[in-house]
Amino acid sequence: MSAARPQAMKLADYRQPDFLIPALFLDFELHDTQTRVTAVSKVRRQGTHSHPLILDGEKLQLVSVEINGETVSAQATEKGLCLENVPDEFELRIVTHIDPLNNTSLEGLYKSGSAFCTQCEAEGFRKITYFMDRPDVMAKYQVKITADRQTYPYLLSNGNKIGQGELPDGKHWVLWEDPFFKPCYLFALVAGDFDLLEDSFTTASGRQVALELFVDKGNLGRAGHAMASLKKAMLWDEQRYGLEYDLDIYMIVAVDFFNMGAMENKGLNVFNSKFVLADPASATDEDYFNIESVIAHEYFHNWTGNRVTCRDWFQLSLKEGLTVFRDQQFSADMADPAIVRIKQVQVMREHQFAEDAGPMVHPIRPAEVMEMNNFYSVTVYDKGAEVIRMLHTLLGETGFRQGMDLYIARHDGQAVTCDDFVQAMQDANGIDLTLFRRWYSQSGTPRVEVETLYDDKRQQFALTLRQHTPATADQQDKLPLHMPVAIELIDETGSQQHILSLTESSQRFELACKGEPTLAVLAGFSAPVKVDFAQDSQELLKTALYGQDDFLRWDAAQQLLSESIHASVTDANSSLPEAVLALFSGTLDVAAEKPALAAEMLALPSFETLAQQKPHIHVDSLLAARHSVKMQLAEAFAGQWKSLIKVAPDQSYAYQREQVQLRRLKAVCLTYLAELPDSEAILQQGYQHSDNMSDTLAILRACQSANHRLFEPLMQDFEQRWGQDSLVMDKWFALHGSRQHPNSLASLQLLTGHAMYSINNPNKVRALIGSFAFYNTAGFHAADGSGYRFVTDYLMKLDAVNPQVASRLITPMLGFSHLDSTRQDLIVQQLARLLNHEPLSRDLYEKVSKALHLATSTDKALN
Ligand code: B3K
Ligand code: ZN
C-alpha cells in the first residue's frame, strides 16, 4: 500500500455535527452503469461557527452542485466534497452518476442478478450521493424512482407509497415517503421483478399492516416460513415489550448477492435469500431456525435501532447487542430454550473468546476504528448480547422491562449512546450501575477462579470467587467487573440455585447446606467468562447426570469429554476414562426421553472449542486425539448408535419441536455410527429414504467426518439432484470445503471453477473458501503452509472484488498465538505478503497490520 496508511477514528474525538439535514429528497433514474441520482437536502447550520459543510462521498461521478438554485463550483476528492462559506440555512441540490453494475463491493447501490438493491450500513450511503454519512444526522426522506416498467415492475423504498405514474418511453415512476426521521444507513431502494407473497398483521391497537415478501420468480413455495416467522415476531414484541409496528406496510426482499444476513432498513428489509427461503426438501432444521431468528432480529430493530438509533458507530452494540439479546429471547420462546442457549455459548467460546485472544480484540464499545465494517463482530453482537443478558439477570424480568420502557420513552426519535441505555436501566431501577459500565470499555475474556470449603459442623458451604481479566493486545490494565454468577448446589436430596453478584476481585459467599454438595458454576452461562474450577471427574459426572439446569449438565459433559481429549493428546494410548463411559451410558439410557439435551451431551466438543481451552495447542495431536476419542466412543456404544437412529419421527417432515429433537439426536448418533466398519448399508439407506434436507445432510456430514467411502458417490448424487439450486449447492460447496482430506486443496481449486461458483457471490465464497479456512483444520493448518498460502492468494483476488467479505474470511489467519512456532511463522509470512499487496483495502489493512504488530511485539517480548 503506497498511498497514505488509513488512520483510525477515535470515540474520544466525537463532535456533534456542524450541520443538520432534516429533509432529503432523492430522485433515482436507474441505469445499469449510469444511474443518475439527484439529492435535494434542506441544510441547517448547528451552533455558531463558520466551518465548511463537509460531505462524504466515494466512487461518485459529480455532475453538479447548486445552493439555493445557484450553481457552485466544487471540487470533489476521493473522500468527499467540501463546501466553504455556505449560508446558515439553504437548499442543496447535488447530481451524481453511479455505476451499480460494476459495484462488486455490494455496498451502496448495486445489482443482485437482474435487480437493483442497496446496502448502506455502516457507511455505504456515501457511495450513492454526497451526504453527511453519520447516524446522528437524521432526515425525513422522499424518494422517487424511475425505471423501465417491464424489467423493474416493482420500485421500492422506505415508508409509504404516495405516488406513481407512467412515462411515454416504457418507463414508470414511484414516489415513496417515510414519515419517520432516520439516519441514511437505514435508507433502501430495491427495483426488480419478483414473486410476491402478501399477508397482513393487525397490531394490538387494531391497525392493519400490509406484509409483503418479495422473492425471485419461482420461489414463492419457499416463502411461507419467513412470513409466518415475521408474524410471530410482531406478536412477540407486542407481548414481551409492548412494542408495536409503526408503518402501514412492512416489506422484505430476498436477494442472492448480499454481504451478510439481512438489513433492517426502515419498512424495507433486504435479506440474503439464505435467511428467507425454505421448504422441507431443500432446507434443514437449522435453516428454519435461523430464518425465524434473523427475520425476528431485523423486525426487532424497528424499535431498537431505528426508532432509537446510534449516535455514532462506536455505539453499534447499543442496537446490535440489544437486538441480538431480544432475538435470543424470542428464539428461546419459539424453540428449545436450553438448546438455543447451548448454541449461543458455543458461538461465544469458539469465536468470541478467539477474537479476544487475537489482534482484533476490542470492547463491546470500541474506542478506535479504522474500518467500521470490521466491527460488526462477535464481540459487538454476541458479547454485546451477553452484557445485556447480565443486566437482565441482575435486574430481573420486571426491572429490565421497566428499564426498556424508560429507554424507549426517553429516547424515541433520537440517536444515543450505550451510556444512555445503561442510564435508563439505572434510573428505572434505582440501582447503581457505575461498575457495570466497565463491560462497555474493557475488552478481553475475564477468568473466574472458584474455591470451595464445606464446614460440616456449621453446615455452611463457603465459596470464594476471584476474577481477573488477563491483558489483551489492545489494553494492558484491567479492572474488576460486576457480573452475576449463577450456581447450582447438588446434594442427595436435590438441588438449590443461587445468583451471586460478583463485584470485587475476590469475594466470599456462604450458603447453608445440609451435607457437602457438588457445586456447578455459571448456570445458563450467566456471564461471558472462563471459569477455573478444578473439579474431579466424579463431580462433573454427577452434575451432568443429576443437575437441574440443562445448560450446566451439558457443560459438565463437555468438560469431561474435553478433558479426556486433552489427556489423550499427552498419552496417545490412553483409554477412555470410566467417567466418560458412565456419562455416555447414563445419557444414552435416557436419550429417548430428553433427545435434544442428550444429543448435545453426546456430541464431541468442536476442534475450535478445544483449541480455546489451552494457551498452546499442537494441531495434529489435538486432531488425532479428538478422532481417537470419537473412535473409542463409536466402538464402545456401537449397539446403542444403531438402535437409537431408529427413533426418527415416522411422520413426514415438519419444522416442529419434537421432530427437530429426534432428528438432531439421530444426526449425532450417525457421526459415531459412520466410524464403524459395518455402517455402509445403514448410511446408504438413510440417504435414499430421506424425505428432507436435515436427514440428508446428517448422512453426508457423518460420511464426511468419518472419511467414509460413501462420501464421494453420495456427493455426486447430491450434485445431480440439486446442481441447479443455488442455495442447496452452497451446502454441497461447504461439505467439500470443510472435508479434511489429503486432496482437499486440489478439490478446492477445482471447485472455484464450478459452474455454480462465483467469487462475486458472498454466499459461495463463504460456503467454499470460508468453510475451508474456518473448519477444515487439517487442510488449513497443513504443516507445509499450503493452506495458509491458498487462503492468502484467494484473499488477494477477493479483496479487489469485495473487501468486506475478504475481511471476514481472514479471521482464522489472525488468532495464531496458540499455535506452534513453525505454523506461526508460516502465517506471519503470508500476512506480510498481504500487507505488501497493492492495492489493499482499508478493511484488510486494519486486520493484517494489527496481526503483524502483535506478532512482532510478542516476539520481542519473548526474546
Ligand atoms: N445491521 C445489519 C448489519 C450491517 C453490516 C454492515 N457491514 C444487520 C443486522 O445486524 O441486523
Ligand atoms: Zn442487527
Side-chain angles (χ1 to χ4, degrees), residues 121 262 264 297-298 301 319-320 323-324 381:
E121 187 178 2
E264 70 264 23
H297 178 98
E298 306 311 329
H301 267 316
K319 74 175 178 83
E320 295 304 348
T323 305
V324 171
Y381 273 62

Side-chain angles (χ1 to χ4, degrees), residues 107 119-123 185-186 258-265 270 294 297-299 301 306 313 316 319-320 323-324 327 371-376 381 804 808:
E107 196 185 44
Q119 172 55 37
C120 294
E121 187 178 2
E123 297 175 328
Y185 83 86
L186 290 174
F258 205 64
N259 279 345
M260 60 274 162
M263 177 65 210
E264 70 264 23
N265 317 299
V270 179
V294 180
H297 178 98
E298 306 311 329
Y299 175 73
H301 267 316
N306 301 4
W313 287 122
L316 180 60
K319 74 175 178 83
E320 295 304 348
T323 305
V324 171
D327 86 48
E371 169 50 59
M372 189 54 215
N373 285 323
N374 283 340
F375 290 82
Y376 287 75
Y381 273 62
Q804 268 186 66
R808 292 255 153 175

